[in-house]
Amino acid sequence: MEGGVATNQRFPKIKIREIKDDYLKFELRETDASMANALRRVMIAEVPTIAIDLVEIEVNSSVLNDEFISHRLGLIPLTSDRAMGMRFSRDCDACDGDGQCEHCSVEFHLDVRCDQDQTLDVTSADLMSTDPSVLPVDVAAKSNSSAYDASENRGIIIVKLRRGQELRLRAIARKGIGKDHAKWSPAATVTFMYEPEIRINEEMMESLSIDEKRSWIESSPTKVFDIDPNTQQVVVTDPEAYTYDEEVIKKAEAMGKPGLVEIEAKEDSFIFTVESTGAIKASKLVVNAIEVLKQKLDAVRLSDDTVEADDQFGELGVHMRGG
Amino acid sequence: MNAPDRYERFVVPEGTKKVSYERDTKIINAASFTIEREDHTVGNILRMQLHRDPNVLFAGYKLPHPLQYKIIVRIHTASQSSPMQAYNQAINDLDKELDHLKTVFEEEVLKHSRDY
């Protein structure tokens, strides 16, 4: 390479604030908004999970029609730790896409009939999986009760049956991504915000009376500032509660004190909040998103034949330019 | 009925190249890369990374139409570099950044899983 290998690589920093199976809050620093946004977009739309995609109904005498039930089945989140290693059924060579293939699909069976006077709930717990690692997330959570209190968990209701009604079906779950259909999205919400930097002009602030300080603090719709009970000074209690509404800045101007506070968004610091549907752990979701983004970048590398074609053209170009 | 298949948004059709390169006919060291089945996710990180390269005089991307699933990245470099070189370096740098990000993230997760 001409001029040496000067890289412009960055070394971002990460700090986790809170971590739970389905919730994660972390700080991302020393990179830019394009990287933060790419990660967010990939987490929502391109990290693969498993969801029911094909339903064959044998008997359905319930009040809901076949396609309504199929749609409801598709929306049930399934544990998808296997998804990264699975194949998309469209690229699977081992099968013809009928769902019997272990590389690309998981089969479910459901067979419920109501023989009592009380209405019977058909729930995600009635879905029988052929693969013990792929289960509806609420069923999986129940079996390892350490995750959360399962006593209230009745399962995800699919349909209700009255006496004599029956539902019998076969369903095939496949790997997919949220771009194809939102049922494959592992993310409930993924957001990031710029970290705010709040600077109070202490000198100007001291020129305010205690009542003025209070009314200025009250002007913020969220609780960002407070008064220190000992020193009677205005302090920033929670900078991240600030929603960039600029109400405090307008209030300061209205009080005839422009420049009382300066608030800036740090352009290289982001606070991420990731909530998972339970299909994969929130921490795994981030790792998978990084992996998927890497794969995407690898796919957009130039192929060798393009480079060769350009080299020939390049020489020609030099001749044409009289080189 | 005649709706296009949903997968057309992200599966490159057979016989089509993922990335095609077209040199500018009027300006030396300028070129456009057409990337099939990609969007702002890749377009924006590539553009921002190219802006960090001092040899790049211009870098931009566009999504020509929301129903044409492709982006066009245009690069103009100084004479000591070339659009292709800048493009490759941007991808390499981003790739390394993501490698780094993955390691530091996993270290943090490990630290926190030990805590509780």
Side-chain angles (χ1 to χ4, degrees):
Chain A
M1 199 183 273
E2 296 160 23
V5 195
T7 69
N8 300 301
Q9 196 204 334
R10 283 173 298 209
F11 295 92
K13 293 190 167 55
I14 282 182
K15 187 165 173 265
I16 292 178
R17 289 204 185 155
E18 199 183 341
I19 184 165
K20 279 188 268 179
D21 278 357
D22 59 355
Y23 180 86
L24 179 64
K25 196 166 185 148
F26 66 94
E27 294 162 10
L28 175 67
R29 289 178 200 282
E30 290 173 41
T31 186
D32 69 356
S34 71
M35 183 51 82
N37 197 40
L39 284 173
R40 184 192 64 87
R41 286 172 65 98
V42 169
M43 280 189 246
I44 293 168
E46 298 190 59
V47 171
T49 65
I50 301 164
I52 289 174
D53 193 34
L54 192 89
V55 181
E56 273 175 27
I57 298 200
E58 283 178 52
V59 184
N60 173 19
S61 53
S62 77
V63 291
L64 299 184
N65 59 45
D66 293 1
E67 31 286 80
F68 201 124
I69 289 175
S70 311
H71 180 239
R72 289 183 68 73
L73 288 168
L75 295 176
I76 296 172
L78 304 175
T79 50
S80 308
D81 301 311
R82 259 187 69 195
M84 282 300 271
M86 267 170 84
R87 293 182 197 159
F88 287 107
S89 65
R90 60 170 180 275
D91 320 315
C92 187
D93 306 320
C95 70
D96 49 1
D98 65 346
Q100 302 287 341
C101 165
E102 54 168 339
H103 302 294
C104 69
S105 48
V106 180
E107 204 177 277
F108 284 84
H109 291 273
L110 188 134
D111 186 356
V112 188
R113 190 188 154 82
C114 181
D115 287 311
Q116 65 203 31
D117 282 332
Q118 230 183 358
T119 47
L120 179 72
D121 291 352
V122 181
T123 70
S124 51
D126 295 308
L127 272 173
M128 294 301 147
S129 173
T130 52
D131 180 341
S133 69
V134 180
L135 295 169
V137 292
D138 58 300
V139 176
K142 211 176 214 171
S143 60
N144 52 6
S145 55
S146 63
Y148 70 107
D149 180 30
S151 58
E152 279 288 294
N153 182 359
R154 291 201 296 151
I156 300 166
I157 297 176
I158 298 161
V159 66
K160 293 181 177 183
L161 302 179
R162 65 171 287 176
R163 181 188 274 280
Q165 291 180 339
E166 188 179 2
L167 183 61
R168 192 157 74 227
L169 56 87
R170 189 173 81 99
I172 290 158
R174 292 189 179 133
K175 172 181 172 173
I177 59 171
K179 231 182 196 182
D180 192 341
H181 189 292
K183 69 183 175 186
W184 276 299
S185 177
T189 48
V190 183
T191 62
F192 68 81
M193 68 176 282
Y194 288 109
E195 185 176 11
E197 193 178 335
I198 303 174
R199 282 189 304 273
I200 297 174
N201 185 334
E202 296 293 350
E203 206 175 309
M204 203 183 279
M205 186 60 83
E206 278 318 302
S207 70
L208 297 181
S209 71
I210 189 76
D211 287 338
E212 282 176 314
K213 282 180 188 171
R214 278 213 186 87
S215 87
W216 180 77
I217 289 167
E218 290 299 308
S219 74
S220 175
T222 50
K223 207 161 169 45
V224 182
F225 304 96
D226 207 349
I227 289 181
D228 190 307
N230 302 319
T231 62
Q232 307 284 296
Q233 273 181 322
V234 175
V235 286
V236 181
T237 48
D238 186 6
E240 278 153 44
Y242 185 61
T243 54
Y244 295 95
D245 47 60
E246 300 192 355
E247 288 295 330
V248 283
I249 293 164
K250 286 178 206 151
K251 177 71 178 174
E253 276 166 21
M255 291 165 83
K257 302 275 178 188
L260 181 64
V261 68
E262 274 176 36
I263 306 179
E264 233 179 302
K266 283 196 202 164
E267 300 217 336
D268 69 340
S269 297
F270 309 94
I271 299 153
F272 266 81
T273 314
V274 179
E275 283 177 60
S276 153
T277 58
I280 46 180
K281 279 187 184 176
S283 57
K284 191 76 188 155
L285 174 53
V286 178
V287 175
N288 286 0
I290 295 171
E291 193 51 46
V292 169
L293 191 52
K294 258 170 67 81
Q295 287 167 8
K296 281 171 77 76
L297 281 170
D298 275 335
V300 300
R301 277 177 202 278
L302 287 164
S303 53
D304 292 339
D305 53 328
T306 323
V307 180
E308 266 168 43
D310 184 60
D311 283 345
Q312 281 163 9
F313 184 86
E315 265 169 50
L316 202 71
V318 172
H319 289 306
M320 285 193 310
R321 272 179 249 126
Chain B
M1 285 243 284
N2 60 355
D5 288 314
R6 283 193 312 244
Y7 65 77
E8 280 186 24
R9 286 182 62 190
F10 49 87
V11 180
V12 182
E14 257 175 73
T16 317
K17 271 172 111 181
K18 180 80 179 171
V19 191
S20 51
Y21 169 85
E22 202 188 336
R23 208 182 254 259
D24 193 291
T25 50
K26 294 200 177 90
I27 308 166
I28 311 168
N29 281 325
S32 322
F33 299 81
T34 305
I35 309 176
E36 284 292 335
R37 311 292 126 140
E38 289 298 345
D39 57 15
H40 301 284
T41 308
V42 164
N44 199 27
I45 46 169
L46 267 181
R47 175 184 72 117
M48 293 313 280
Q49 186 64 40
L50 284 162
H51 286 172
R52 294 168 52 77
D53 185 338
N55 289 325
V56 171
L57 303 176
F58 174 87
Y61 83 100
K62 66 175 172 183
L63 188 83
H65 187 100
L67 294 175
Q68 283 178 332
Y69 307 118
K70 64 173 184 192
I71 53 167
I72 297 165
V73 181
R74 209 182 128 74
I75 305 171
H76 184 181
T77 65
S79 56
Q80 62 265 40
S81 184
S82 75
M84 216 178 245
Q85 208 178 85
Y87 180 88
N88 286 332
Q89 207 206 320
I91 293 178
N92 287 336
D93 288 345
L94 284 169
D95 202 53
K96 279 185 274 173
E97 178 172 342
L98 286 167
D99 274 331
H100 172 79
L101 207 58
K102 194 174 174 182
T103 352
V104 289
F105 184 81
E106 281 174 338
E107 277 169 17
E108 270 286 298
V109 171
L110 212 65
K111 214 158 77 190
H112 281 261
S113 61
R114 246 184 267 133
D115 289 347
Y116 83 108

